[in-house]
């Protein structure tokens, strides 16, 4: 059993900053990649960025958002600066990993955390 628990969402004014955290726990053997998606009301889920061998970002957040990881703690962070109203969404973390005893990797998801940016 694997759990991903997010924290750090909330309400912030346009131009402000927030930092999201996501901790993975359970029968983890190794984590290949961690990252973040987001989903705004009425829109499809959008990949924000992934931290694996390299770290990549959606064009819409490049230069404003930074993904970092603490591998010892199975944790991924999303530092969001210069926030805009259009960044308002539910943010979901994910992790692609091998659980103990598995022969292939699987993707696990957090429950989501709301980020609201007021203009």
């Amino acid at each position: 059993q694997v759990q991903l628990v997010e924290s750090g969402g909330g309400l912030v004014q346009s131009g402000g900053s927030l930092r999201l955290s996501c901790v993975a726990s359970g029968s983890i053997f190794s984590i290949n990649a961690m990252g973040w998606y987001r989903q705004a009301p009425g829109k499809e889920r959008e990949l924000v960025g992934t931290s694996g061998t390299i770290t990549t970002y959606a064009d819409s957040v490049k230069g404003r958002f930074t993904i970092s990881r603490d591998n010892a703690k199975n944790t991924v962070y999303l530092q969001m600066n210069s926030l805009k109203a259009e960044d308002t969404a539910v943010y979901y973390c994910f992790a692609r990993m091998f659980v103990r005893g598995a022969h292939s990797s699987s993707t696990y998801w957090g429950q989501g955390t709301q980020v609201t940016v007021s203009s």
Side-chain angles (χ1 to χ4, degrees):
Q1 193 79 355
V2 172
Q3 278 191 315
L4 274 67
V5 178
E6 299 140 343
S7 60
L11 173 65
V12 64
Q13 288 189 334
S14 179
S17 298
L18 276 177
R19 189 192 195 208
L20 306 183
S21 301
C22 173
V23 181
S25 63
S27 300
I28 300 169
F29 178 73
S30 65
I31 297 178
N32 297 341
M34 300 184 80
W36 298 87
Y37 274 79
R38 67 184 180 184
Q39 187 164 22
K43 295 189 177 181
E44 293 187 356
R45 191 172 289 195
E46 172 191 25
L47 177 62
V48 175
T50 303
S51 174
T53 305
I54 59 173
T55 301
T56 59
Y57 299 93
D59 288 341
S60 58
V61 306
K62 275 181 185 176
R64 300 187 299 122
F65 290 11
T66 303
I67 294 175
S68 60
R69 286 171 62 181
D70 185 336
N71 292 327
K73 296 181 179 179
N74 292 332
T75 300
V76 62
Y77 304 96
L78 180 64
Q79 177 66 45
M80 303 183 290
N81 299 328
S82 302
L83 282 161
K84 307 174 182 179
E86 51 263 44
D87 294 318
T88 295
V90 177
Y91 284 70
Y92 300 89
C93 70
F94 70 91
R96 285 196 291 271
M97 66 176 73
F98 284 87
V99 298
R100 297 184 191 281
H103 297 290
S104 61
S105 63
S106 298
T107 300
Y108 295 85
W109 295 89
Q111 78 285 358
T113 185
Q114 177 70 46
V115 171
T116 302
V117 183
S118 63
S119 55

